[in-house]
Amino acid sequence: GWRDADGNLYLAGRDKRMFVSAGLNLFPEEAEQVLRDAEGVALAAVFGAPDRLRGRVPVAAIMSRESGAADPAQLRRLCLAVLGRARCPRRFYFFASFPLTSGGKIDLPALEALVLAHEATRDGAREAGRDPDCEPGLAAGRSAGQNTSRQSGTETAGRRA
């Protein structure tokens, strides 16, 4: 968190959700707020995905508004301008709906598992020597029997069927 000139304390996010990327403490709530304010975005959640170089990198799950789909390139430009390079999500995964708890809130652990499953599929293709961003199987395949993937901008995106 931080204090302003008047001494008011502002919280950056919950300590339980914080992750370290290249030595920086990142709070997903910062990026989520920027993404929720973007055109075409109804809901957003950010998670730390494993990365060999940085430890973890931010990746975003996006639920688009019914009025229009969000553009991943535009979301990336917005995040870079507001958050800077270190806090900007590296990849955006799009979902028609998010898993919810019985109380109607976003089930963050379940959503994180879905996003990390897409990350694992992406990493598996890369390790096999294939370009995951151009892999037809990843672009049209099914994951866990309920998610279909589609290409969005520069990255594979999950879409709940």
Side-chain angles (χ1 to χ4, degrees):
W2 69 93
R3 288 189 187 272
D4 65 9
D6 296 331
N8 296 317
L9 178 64
Y10 296 90
L11 299 178
R14 294 178 181 261
D15 189 46
K16 284 175 53 174
R17 293 202 56 215
M18 184 203 75
F19 61 93
V20 177
S21 178
L24 295 173
N25 293 343
L26 301 185
F27 292 92
E29 292 88 352
E30 293 174 313
E32 290 168 356
Q33 185 60 49
V34 170
L35 290 167
R36 277 193 301 266
D37 292 342
E39 185 178 334
V41 175
L43 294 172
V46 175
F47 305 101
D51 182 77
R52 289 187 186 133
L53 180 63
R54 295 171 191 88
R56 298 188 88 64
V57 294
V59 295
I62 305 291
M63 189 172 94
S64 297
R65 294 181 199 265
E66 291 180 18
S67 60
D71 176 30
Q74 182 181 7
L75 293 176
R76 181 158 175 75
R77 283 191 300 274
L78 175 65
C79 287
L80 284 170
V82 176
L83 301 168
R85 185 172 172 82
R87 288 177 167 73
C88 180
R90 299 295 190 269
R91 288 172 289 283
F92 298 90
Y93 294 93
F94 291 84
F95 294 87
S97 64
F98 281 176
L100 301 175
T101 65
S102 59
K105 295 182 180 181
I106 298 172
D107 187 348
L108 290 173
L111 183 57
E112 181 176 21
L114 291 173
V115 169
L116 294 181
H118 283 288
E119 284 285 305
T121 303
R122 182 181 180 282
D123 291 342
R126 178 165 282 128
E127 288 175 6
R130 299 184 312 264
D131 183 357
D133 300 330
C134 299
E135 184 74 19
L138 293 179
R142 288 205 167 265
S143 169
Q146 57 182 315
N147 290 337
T148 58
S149 299
R150 69 170 172 86
Q151 203 69 12
S152 76
T154 60
E155 284 301 325
T156 304
R159 177 145 323 248
R160 188 173 264 262

